[in-house]
Amino acid sequence: MSMTPKALMAEAVKARKRAYAPYSRFAVGAALLAKDGSVHLGCNVENASYGLTICAERNAVWKAVSEGVTEFTAIAVTARDGRGAPPCGSCRQVLHEFAPNMSVYWRDARGRILKRKLTELLPNAFNLADLRK
Ligand code: THU
């Protein structure tokens, strides 16, 4: 099932409202689109022990997988207006585990939606096949 990047980004904007980011004050929202058309929202959740913080994108993946949804086609990510929010390296790796061919949308500092394939953002990713060679 498809959804426009703009519509998926609108869901990411909603997800961002739930961010728990009292330390960085950098709230992030993510909307993960599954093959079955379902959308799974995630926000960043920080912790007083800073390193335990989880990014919005991985939160969305954990939520979806926990509900039995593991096939994804796209993710949209947003920070506040004027700030770009391309997914961090850890989130790229986690997304790659489930959907190497997915599309990734994020907003640049001018609010335009940028679009890339995950394989462009994380070429030559480590994966299950490497473990089994
Ligand atoms: N953050 C995300 O949620 N996603 C990213 O891809 C980059 C960073 C969060 C983590 C932390 O709560 C805050 O942004 C500042 O790094």
Side-chain angles (χ1 to χ4, degrees):
M1 233 179 261
S2 71
M3 194 171 178
T4 64
K6 203 175 160 189
L8 195 59
M9 189 60 75
E11 294 300 309
V13 169
K14 285 184 207 162
R16 184 176 170 271
K17 294 189 168 69
R18 301 241 166 90
Y20 177 75
Y23 304 101
S24 72
R25 303 259 168 221
F26 192 80
V28 183
L32 181 62
L33 178 62
K35 261 193 188 151
D36 65 7
S38 58
V39 175
H40 304 264
L41 304 184
C43 59
N44 52 333
V45 180
E46 299 186 344
N47 192 274
S49 179
Y50 297 170
L52 300 182
T53 291
I54 191 72
C55 291
E57 301 91 316
R58 272 177 289 161
N59 198 358
V61 172
W62 305 154
K63 282 178 61 195
V65 173
S66 300
E67 298 295 332
V69 180
T70 56
E71 294 187 311
F72 309 114
T73 58
I75 189 167
V77 187
T78 188
R80 65 172 165 267
D81 289 348
R83 295 294 174 96
C88 81
S90 297
C91 290
R92 293 176 196 199
Q93 177 68 27
V94 167
L95 290 166
H96 189 278
E97 180 74 21
F98 297 98
N101 296 314
M102 78 187 305
S103 298
V104 181
Y105 312 133
W106 72 95
R107 296 199 302 168
D108 68 11
R110 292 169 58 185
R112 292 174 304 198
I113 298 178
L114 302 181
K115 303 164 197 162
R116 296 283 186 281
K117 299 301 282 186
L118 181 57
T119 46
E120 291 178 71
L121 299 178
L122 191 69
N124 307 118
F126 182 74
N127 62 26
L128 185 61
D130 293 307
L131 286 172
R132 300 219 166 129
K133 265 174 203 158

